[in-house]
Amino acid sequence: MDTALSAPAAAAPVMITPAADAPATFVQRLNGLPLRSKLTMGAGLLALAGAVLAITLWSAQGDYRPLFSGLSDKDGGAVIGQLSALQVPYKHEAGGTILVPAGQVYELRMKLAAQGLPKSGSGSIGSTVGFELMDKSSIGQTQFNERLNFQRALEGELTRTITAMSDVADARVHLAMPQQNGFFREQQKPSASVMLTLRGGRSLDRSQIAGIVHLVSSSVPELAPKAVSVLDQTGALLSQTGADPATGLDGQQLQYKQQIEAGYNKRIFELLEPVVGRDNLRSTVTADVDFSQTEATAEEYRPNQGPNAQAAVRSSQNSESNNANAALPTGVPGAATNQPPVPATAPINGASAPLQAAQSGAGSNNSRREQVTNYEVDKTVRVTRSAVGNVRRLNAAIVVNHRPVTDAKGKTTQQPVPAEEIARLTELVKEAMGFDGERGDSVKVISAPFVIDRTEPADLPFYKQPWLLDIARSAIVPLAFVAIALIAVFGMIRPAIKAAAAPPPEEKAETVDEVVDDAELLPGPDGMPRLEAPLHNEKLDRARTLARENPVAVANIVRDWMEGQSA
């Protein structure tokens, strides 16, 4: 059989060629890449290392908390310098805020306070000096310097005490202590001013302000509470000792008036709100309070009254005197005095009468009697002191919202409250207030529609929600690092590694066992070695084509091979 595929019976022995060179390693293939691929892979590796390092450092930093806030530039620079000396990481934000790792906040505060930082603000005790200033006395110190140091020390101690309050962030105390002299009338009284810096959203009530005033006035001799002024950081005067020029009332009187009005207003709400419904009532009460102090004293006298009233003797006094005098001699002194008296005769012709003998005068007898009787009279002494804070007049104004009424068709409309019900509500308010028409009280109740501003909440999209924005701000840094790492891995490193990877193994050609002219088989596991497929498979392709087109001829050729016959 003549064909190209027939094998001669006496064929030469098959020669086994040595295997090809060993395949190149990954490093060799990587070195064989183009320069551009090598540079891309190197840049990707650097980007990946930088992203991993940045993520590690960012996660190691942890949470930062404010160490101090609201510091001035001078104090902020001093604090930052000390933090740098302590090798503590920090962040400086706007508004004088310094951030440090959360785990070191309290430790750093104590360390900086021991060094007197910050000098001002933040309510630090180290920013003020107290009586420890008196420990540093120098030689040759004058009396003026000693008095000035004592004043500074007293101001510092008062500042420390006031800043210990929870609502006070910082305070400054100024004392005006004039030098006293030996003249009592010319001595000036001291005064004080306190400047408070309150914490955010905090305020002091009247009792706390009075406590600060009492603290300062009690710490300085001869300092009256009225001479202490307390201000806040906005410049508003907190301690008002005089009357308000607008109302003429002082702080306590104004507070008492507001309490009375709030009490009456609460009574009206508690009484009418269950009747008209919640948020359907508005009321206001104005009280005219009399704070004048008057005192009157009256004495009334009236006689004893009643049909059987008898005068009561209070005192009785009797006085009686009797005065009797003996007869005394009268006449011309001399010898004739001792003669008995003769009858008196009228002179004749103007001739003088002879001397009269002395006569004895008649005696006198005076008697006096006096009686005084005092009777009791009814007496009334009345002292009237008017009470302070009497209510002279009350005025109340109440507005009731219209009522919703639904008709048979289901339509709801707002209608005013009937007049009969308004009258009943007015009577209830009068009873609750203790209405007194004689003093001029007035109550007015009306019905009016309330205007309600229907402010619908803004429908923000999902991507604008505040909570989502907060999460995005906190996660944007790590996500950016992760994105950089992914781009470096899949965009730069992976293509280079894929290009340098080993090529896939080639298909092995089919092998046949050939028999030489003798009975000896070629060495191999099955008697015959597996030969490598030729690089050019043209003959094999022609044989396969022949086997498909003429299988009978191929079968004969195989049979001849099996029988050992040549073609």
Side-chain angles (χ1 to χ4, degrees), residues 31 181 214 273 377 511 513:
N31 292 331
N181 50 29
H214 184 72
E273 195 172 32
V377 181
T511 58
D513 292 337

Side-chain angles (χ1 to χ4, degrees), residues 298-381:
E299 293 186 2
E300 297 179 358
Y301 298 92
R302 59 181 179 176
N304 295 323
Q305 298 178 355
N308 299 325
Q310 296 181 358
V313 178
R314 179 179 183 183
S315 62
S316 178
Q317 182 179 2
N318 296 326
S319 177
E320 183 177 355
S321 61
N322 188 4
N323 188 9
N325 296 325
L328 299 175
T330 61
V332 178
T337 304
N338 298 325
Q339 300 296 323
V342 294
T345 60
I348 301 173
N349 298 326
S352 59
L355 294 174
Q356 297 291 331
Q359 300 178 2
S360 60
S364 61
N365 187 6
N366 297 325
S367 178
R368 181 182 179 183
R369 181 177 295 175
E370 182 179 355
Q371 183 177 2
V372 178
T373 304
N374 295 324
Y375 296 92
E376 289 286 359
V377 181
D378 290 346
K379 176 183 177 182
T380 303
V381 179

Side-chain angles (χ1 to χ4, degrees), residues 15 26 78 90 100 112 118 121 133 145 149 165-166 209 229 258 265 282 285 322 387 398 469 508 532 560:
M15 298 298 295
F26 176 77
Y90 64 88
V100 295
L112 295 176
L133 184 63
N145 292 335
N149 290 337
M165 300 177 63
S166 58
I209 298 173
S229 302
Q258 293 175 352
N265 204 15
R282 297 292 184 273
V285 178
N322 188 4
I398 298 99
L469 295 178
K508 299 294 182 179
E532 294 183 0
D560 293 340

Side-chain angles (χ1 to χ4, degrees), residues 54-79:
I55 293 176
T56 304
L57 294 177
W58 183 83
S59 60
Q61 288 179 355
D63 189 14
Y64 274 74
R65 296 292 179 87
L67 179 64
F68 296 110
S69 59
L71 294 178
S72 61
D73 295 340
K74 182 178 180 180
D75 292 338
V79 172

